[in-house]
Amino acid sequence: MADTPDGPWLTIVGIGEDGPNGLSSAAREALEKAALVAGAPRHLALLPALRAESLPWPVPFAAGVPMLLARRGDPTVLLASGDPFWFGAGSSITRHLRPDEWTAHPAPSTFSLAAARLGWALQDVECHGLHAAPLTRLRPGLVPGRRAILLLRDGQAAGELAAWLTEQGFGRSTLHVLEALGGPREHIRQCTAEAPDLADIAHPVAVGLSVAGEGRTLPRSSGIPDDWFDHDGQITKRPARALTLSALAPRPGETLWDIGAGSGSIAIEWLLAHSSTQAIAFEADPDRAARARANALHLGVDRLTVMEGRAPDILTGRTRPEAVFIGGGLSQSLLATLFALPGGPTRLVANAVTLESEALLAKWHADKGGDLLRIELAQAMPLGSRRGWRSAYPLVQWSVTL
């Protein structure tokens, strides 16, 4: 990192439960030269008396950023837990600074310490910071034999984790409760989720989770079974959903608009494709909008944004994302609006089941190109004492790049 002639004014120091004993010589030197040391009260208490002014960091975290920036230019140390750039405070601060204004000295993260205590290969373990995130974020990773290390807000959250795992059918999972790792208060205990022994847990707390049980495992392929979603019949069924996700082709970091979202199944499976994808669901019916939010939370993708309103009006003033799906409300005006909106290349997929909407897609396909696909599906069903095919309504799918 390039320094200004006087060097960076802010030093971000990762600190563990062992306090100054675990700090590098460069971190200790920054503390000695600092005019201001900021950090959570717990972190400040780990250090001996300082010559510098102390600034206890407020709650919520964002409230402290203006206080820090007001001291811009003063030699300042910001204390953070372990590795400040792994589920830590580092990037929340540095996004407000130029690269030459700061430097950092990380310490071992809680994830590293937990893996070292448990003997787990960290590259094979899911790591989650759940201080302010819902436990349902774990749902895609609940697979027997898998492991995860979880940072929790407090001891009560460990009990809530045990209860939730049991409710999901994974009560046989082992919880390694890791308290105050790396310091004199370090304590490690073990229990199962269905028989928790979680009284008097000291903060900070992490849990090493070994998943076990007979609970249902969420598939990772596109087109998960329909019964994973609560719906009122307004849902893109499993085979059509798999074909639709294939046409949308989610890629890391991309955003999807799901227009006429219904149960939210398309947007949710888009989000399940990669942890960095984003999705906005547009739904005119308030009950369906609420259902889409609940489905997303249940399946562990709490980053779904649901907007209540009718397209194309709700799209006014927006910039097209990388992908758009039209599952409901298909119309001439909606297609015209989407083509007119600003934005880079956008993969559009529209599904139609009525003769009118099919004719509309045929017209636009003739004008704009792309691929037009007719999907006809039939399912074996009882027919008297035998079986026969029951056909679903044919589905016409248009995919094109705007």
Side-chain angles (χ1 to χ4, degrees):
M1 180 178 302
D3 294 351
T4 61
D6 295 327
W9 64 270
L10 177 65
T11 302
I12 303 172
V13 171
I15 189 168
E17 288 297 303
D18 52 356
N21 293 333
L23 297 180
S24 67
S25 58
R28 289 195 294 270
E29 181 181 356
L31 283 168
E32 291 170 2
K33 294 181 177 180
L36 175 69
V37 177
R42 179 175 68 85
H43 293 144
L44 293 171
L46 293 170
L47 298 175
L50 299 169
R51 289 180 295 177
E53 176 188 352
S54 295
L55 174 64
W57 202 270
V59 176
F61 182 86
V65 175
M67 299 167 58
L68 183 70
L69 296 180
R71 303 295 293 266
R72 203 175 209 137
D74 294 341
T76 300
V77 168
L78 172 63
L79 301 175
S81 295
D83 185 342
F85 293 93
W86 197 4
F87 294 99
S91 61
S92 298
I93 297 298
T94 57
R95 68 167 61 108
H96 301 282
L97 303 174
R98 300 188 311 272
D100 60 0
E101 291 187 88
W102 63 275
T103 189
H105 303 295
S109 68
T110 301
F111 298 112
S112 296
L113 292 173
R117 300 297 187 272
L118 299 174
W120 291 358
L122 195 53
Q123 73 271 11
D124 297 329
V125 175
E126 287 193 15
C127 296
H128 294 276
L130 300 179
H131 297 93
L135 294 174
T136 53
R137 189 171 288 182
L138 303 176
R139 194 61 186 84
L142 290 186
V143 180
R146 297 294 295 168
R147 292 169 169 171
I149 297 173
L150 320 173
L151 308 186
L152 302 179
R153 68 175 186 276
D154 54 27
Q156 179 181 340
E160 294 168 358
L161 170 66
W164 180 76
L165 287 168
T166 302
E167 178 184 316
Q168 298 299 313
F170 295 95
R172 291 174 29 223
S173 298
T174 299
L175 307 183
H176 303 271
V177 183
L178 310 138
E179 304 163 55
L181 285 178
R185 298 183 299 120
E186 180 176 306
H187 183 210
I188 301 175
R189 66 182 94 172
Q190 179 178 314
C191 63
T192 62
E194 61 192 2
D197 178 17
L198 302 175
D200 303 321
I201 296 176
H203 182 74
V205 58
V207 169
L209 172 64
S210 295
V211 181
E214 305 301 323
R216 197 176 183 195
T217 298
L218 183 64
R220 289 301 180 96
S221 60
S222 295
I224 65 176
D226 295 344
D227 60 2
W228 279 98
F229 302 97
D230 179 28
H231 63 89
D232 60 0
Q234 186 71 12
I235 183 174
T236 303
K237 299 297 192 296
R238 177 181 181 174
R241 194 177 339 115
L243 291 169
T244 299
L245 266 294
S246 177
L248 287 169
R251 301 166 187 168
E254 291 188 333
T255 297
L256 168 76
W257 285 356
D258 184 354
I259 300 174
S263 66
S265 62
I266 293 291
I268 291 168
E269 289 218 39
W270 170 278
L271 294 171
L272 286 169
H274 195 271
S275 60
S276 67
T277 52
Q278 301 292 324
I280 303 175
F282 299 98
E283 176 53 55
D285 185 294
D287 291 337
R288 288 174 177 167
R291 191 175 290 114
R293 293 187 187 99
N295 281 332
L297 185 62
H298 173 66
L299 293 175
V301 285
D302 51 293
R303 61 191 187 276
L304 175 65
T305 300
V306 180
M307 307 290 293
E308 295 184 28
R310 192 172 300 278
D313 295 342
I314 198 172
L315 306 179
T316 301
R318 300 179 184 272
T319 300
R320 284 196 324 258
E322 291 83 0
V324 174
F325 170 63
I326 305 175
L330 179 65
S331 67
Q332 172 75 19
S333 60
L334 175 55
L335 291 173
T337 296
L338 287 170
F339 272 80
L341 287 176
T346 297
R347 301 186 300 280
L348 170 67
V349 177
N351 288 351
V353 294
T354 67
L355 292 175
E356 292 79 6
S357 56
E358 179 179 335
L360 179 63
L361 291 187
K363 175 181 178 298
W364 278 79
H365 172 255
D367 292 342
K368 302 295 186 180
D371 295 316
L372 196 63
L373 180 68
R374 182 180 172 91
I375 304 166
E376 298 190 52
L377 298 169
Q379 186 173 5
M381 301 290 289
L383 184 62
S385 61
R386 302 194 177 191
R387 293 171 299 150
W389 293 110
R390 177 177 293 175
S391 297
Y393 286 114
L395 178 72
V396 172
Q397 182 180 94
W398 181 44
S399 55
V400 67
T401 299
L402 281 63

